[in-house]
Amino acid sequence: MKSLDELTFDNRFARLGDAFSTHVLPEPIAEPRLVVASDAAMALLDLDPTEAHSPVFAELFSGHKLWAEAEPRAMVYSGHQFGSYNPRLGDGRGLLLGEVYNDAGEHWDLHLKGAGQTPYSRMGDGRAVLRSSIREFLASEALHALGIPSSRALCVIGSSTPVWRETQERAAMVLRLAPSHVRFGHFEYFYYTRQPEQQRELAEHVLNLHFAECREQPEPYLAMFRTIVERNAELIARWQAYGFCHGVMNTDNMSILGITFDFGPFAFLDDFDAGFICNHSDDQGRYSFSNQVPIAHWNLSALAQALTPFISVEALKETLGLFLPLYQAHYLDLMRRRLGLTEARDDDSALVERLLGLMNKGAVDYTLFFRKLGDQPAAQAVRVVRDDFVDLAGFDAWAVEYLARLDQEPGNAEGRRARMHAVNPLYILRNYLAQRAIEAAEGGDYEEVRRLHQVLTRPFEEQPGMQAYAERPPEWGKHLEISCSS
Ligand code: AMP
Ligand code: MG
């Protein structure tokens, strides 16, 4: 276990130079205080968890102090926002402090979000508010616990620094960890600004550090693109299977590693609603829940366009064509497991689709449905969940088919409950739970954020005394409007 001053840096992205990022020092926020820290994220850096409570911890992650070996940089990128190309984005309020490697030799980017203005801030103040920092922290750690690839969050540091959004709020910083912060938009930037040499340098960098296995392939860049397609297909399958809605799937928010990245107005579904739009500013529903699948494909084609200097159009198209079938296969596999099915059959897709249609009609709680379904032997369980549906005849017909399908699987009933509970969470980050924790934190009480974080680190295990965290939202918590402003 290390202390904060024992971290070892190796700033590989910074060494790419000024065409890729700009040196910027973090601008401190006033009266920094620890809101919440993740022991599990600290372990990724071999950090002793008690370090979170040392005064220097809050100083380091609020811009007051910096390691001598850190090289804070704002990265340049561009991207497609809501379908339109924006030629110049970049880190407008976050800084890559440096890359730390742990005893296992894994490198982690330390990214401080809310660290002040940079050359890419445009009209923005370079800040992040407490509310959005807490949401990013909780979501990163909760997704990871659910087995959904995500950037991680080490801590949130609050402050007394005022910032203006719709009203006056307080600035905070969140320390994000990821093996890389390279986005689709990095490749788009060098492609559209016609800097082929820098683009190649970026591709080589990413290939060497993050896709080393692709080097062995006859066409390494194509193999890398294929891996990106595969990882995104799996990522989106997990989002859809667990009801996660990202909300701002612009290409600058898409990680080349295929991890969930840049949290804004995201939401987990409470009631199942295929057309759910979590981003209050998304008038057209471009990033609605069910659109996430075609949008991920669209985003990959935007990345493919940027890779045309290196890879033939035919090969790119063919590889893009893998996305949907791969997505479908992963998604069906997850949904089968959520339903307690152990074998694949031809009509599984229809069984899942019919169920979702019925849930949609009846506004059935998406998370609790699967948990209840696994709680008891199947024949009893369908009688319990039946009460939540409005189309009872439709549900009964579905249940007959589902039970018949289970009967065809030898030994399915054995260990069913444990098997299903291991993939069907009891606790998810419902918006109203986050909202309640944020309101307490805005009043200076961080206990609720910390408790919620603890509950969400073990989403599949029933935790004594925590029943309240597994409940459907109360009336006030059903239609919270989460805007993009953060
Ligand atoms: P996002 O919607 O958070 O993914 O941000 C899109 C772009 O706007 C990125 O280039 C951000 O760095 C930038 N940005 C967002 N909020 C701010 C802010 N408060 N100040 C400066 N830049 C910002
Ligand atoms: Mg972003």
Side-chain angles (χ1 to χ4, degrees):
M1 284 290 161
K2 290 180 183 169
S3 62
L4 286 160
D5 54 13
E6 290 170 319
L7 291 182
T8 26
F9 284 81
D10 176 15
N11 306 320
R12 303 169 304 179
F13 194 89
R15 287 200 291 274
L16 288 174
D18 292 343
F20 300 85
S21 64
T22 307
H23 173 77
V24 181
L25 285 173
E27 236 176 276
I29 46 180
E31 302 181 80
R33 69 221 48 181
L34 176 70
V35 175
V36 62
S38 164
D39 289 359
M42 288 180 74
L44 299 172
L45 308 180
D46 306 323
L47 274 176
D48 182 339
T50 61
E51 286 288 279
H53 302 284
S54 74
V56 73
F57 186 87
E59 287 170 357
L60 279 166
F61 300 122
S62 61
H64 287 266
K65 270 210 165 110
L66 203 57
W67 295 266
E69 306 85 351
E71 291 180 68
R73 313 280 301 188
M75 295 168 124
V76 62
Y77 51 82
S78 60
H80 282 83
Q81 298 182 307
F82 288 88
S84 311
Y85 186 64
N86 186 334
R88 202 168 152 91
L89 291 164
D91 289 333
R93 56 166 165 175
L95 296 174
L96 180 59
L97 294 181
E99 294 169 61
V100 165
Y101 61 93
N102 62 20
D103 288 343
E106 298 161 341
H107 282 68
W108 289 95
D109 282 2
L110 264 52
H111 179 100
L112 191 59
K113 191 164 175 177
Q117 286 175 318
T118 77
Y120 315 109
S121 296
R122 295 174 292 159
M123 306 301 282
D125 59 6
R127 293 305 187 193
V129 295
L130 180 62
R131 156 177 65 82
S132 68
S133 305
I134 290 174
R135 280 172 54 85
E136 170 143 1
F137 176 91
L138 291 173
S140 313
E141 295 304 284
L143 285 174
H144 172 74
L146 286 171
I148 303 178
S150 175
S151 59
R152 302 293 302 274
L154 189 82
C155 64
V156 175
I157 306 295
S159 79
S160 60
T161 300
V163 282
W164 280 96
R165 295 296 181 259
E166 280 89 2
T167 58
Q168 189 187 292
E169 299 189 44
R170 299 289 167 189
M173 294 190 195
V174 57
L175 195 283
R176 177 163 70 193
L177 299 175
S180 168
H181 274 65
V182 174
R183 306 145 189 263
F184 289 11
H186 276 86
F187 284 95
E188 293 181 281
Y189 173 76
F190 291 106
Y191 172 71
Y192 288 105
T193 53
R194 298 200 172 79
Q195 302 184 69
E197 270 170 47
Q198 284 77 7
Q199 202 189 9
R200 187 170 286 279
E201 227 183 304
L202 177 73
E204 287 291 310
H205 176 86
V206 165
L207 190 62
N208 289 335
L209 301 190
H210 307 292
F211 297 90
E213 69 287 356
C214 298
R215 272 270 177 242
E216 320 296 317
Q217 302 294 315
E219 284 191 68
Y221 288 173
L222 177 59
M224 176 164 81
F225 180 62
R226 188 190 164 113
T227 308
I228 297 173
V229 169
E230 287 167 356
R231 290 198 194 162
N232 274 280
E234 183 166 355
L235 176 69
I236 307 300
R238 288 182 187 269
W239 285 3
Q240 300 310 113
Y242 284 100
F244 178 77
C245 200
H246 180 283
V248 201
M249 285 175 72
N250 294 334
T251 57
D252 52 299
N253 292 338
M254 299 292 291
S255 153
I256 50 133
L257 299 180
I259 60 179
T260 315
F261 204 69
D262 263 15
F263 295 88
F266 70 85
F268 276 91
L269 298 181
D270 290 307
D271 300 345
F272 184 80
D273 175 3
F276 181 66
I277 302 165
C278 62
N279 182 350
H280 186 54
S281 325
D282 182 5
D283 304 325
Q284 311 287 317
R286 177 180 173 87
Y287 299 138
S288 74
F289 179 65
S290 58
N291 271 356
Q292 297 192 121
V293 183
I295 286 292
H297 188 244
W298 191 94
N299 288 344
L300 285 162
S301 65
L303 175 63
Q305 178 67 44
L307 295 176
T308 49
F310 308 131
I311 308 170
S312 77
V313 171
E314 299 81 80
L316 285 167
K317 277 193 178 153
E318 194 186 316
T319 308
L320 271 175
L322 300 173
F323 176 79
L324 269 180
L326 281 173
Y327 161 79
Q328 263 300 335
H330 281 301
Y331 176 72
L332 255 190
D333 181 55
L334 288 165
M335 294 308 283
R336 269 191 210 104
R337 292 167 55 184
R338 297 207 72 179
L339 285 170
L341 301 169
T342 57
E343 294 175 356
R345 296 284 158 82
D346 286 346
D347 41 11
D348 288 345
S349 180
L351 191 71
V352 169
E353 287 309 314
R354 274 176 55 204
L355 173 65
L356 294 182
L358 291 161
M359 286 175 121
N360 208 129
K361 245 198 259 179
V364 174
D365 189 88
Y366 187 58
T367 300
L368 292 179
F369 170 83
F370 291 100
R371 189 75 183 188
K372 288 196 231 168
L373 192 66
D375 231 8
Q376 298 178 43
Q380 277 125 281
V382 293
R383 282 200 290 276
V384 173
V385 295
R386 182 181 190 268
D387 293 343
D388 297 333
F389 287 80
V390 291
D391 178 357
L392 292 177
F395 179 76
D396 289 341
W398 181 85
V400 166
E401 208 173 300
Y402 172 62
L403 294 174
R405 173 74 175 71
L406 285 174
D407 276 344
Q408 292 164 16
E409 296 197 342
N412 183 296
E414 285 155 41
R416 179 175 187 272
R417 187 173 189 273
R419 195 174 68 232
M420 287 182 71
H421 281 8
V423 292
N424 292 326
L426 183 56
Y427 312 104
I428 54 156
L429 181 56
R430 296 177 186 271
N431 260 345
Y432 86 94
L433 294 175
Q435 193 56 33
R436 220 169 47 185
I438 287 164
E439 279 165 23
E442 285 175 338
D445 177 0
Y446 306 136
E447 272 321 298
E448 187 54 27
V449 177
R450 294 175 188 177
R451 196 175 313 122
L452 180 55
H453 166 230
Q454 283 308 319
V455 171
L456 295 171
T457 56
R458 289 181 291 132
F460 302 106
E461 274 170 58
E462 193 166 338
Q463 299 169 40
M466 297 299 167
Q467 178 52 33
Y469 293 87
E471 290 187 353
R472 301 185 71 170
E475 214 41 56
W476 67 264
K478 279 189 180 161
H479 304 288
L480 296 171
E481 287 181 355
I482 308 293
S483 77
C484 245
S485 92
S486 56

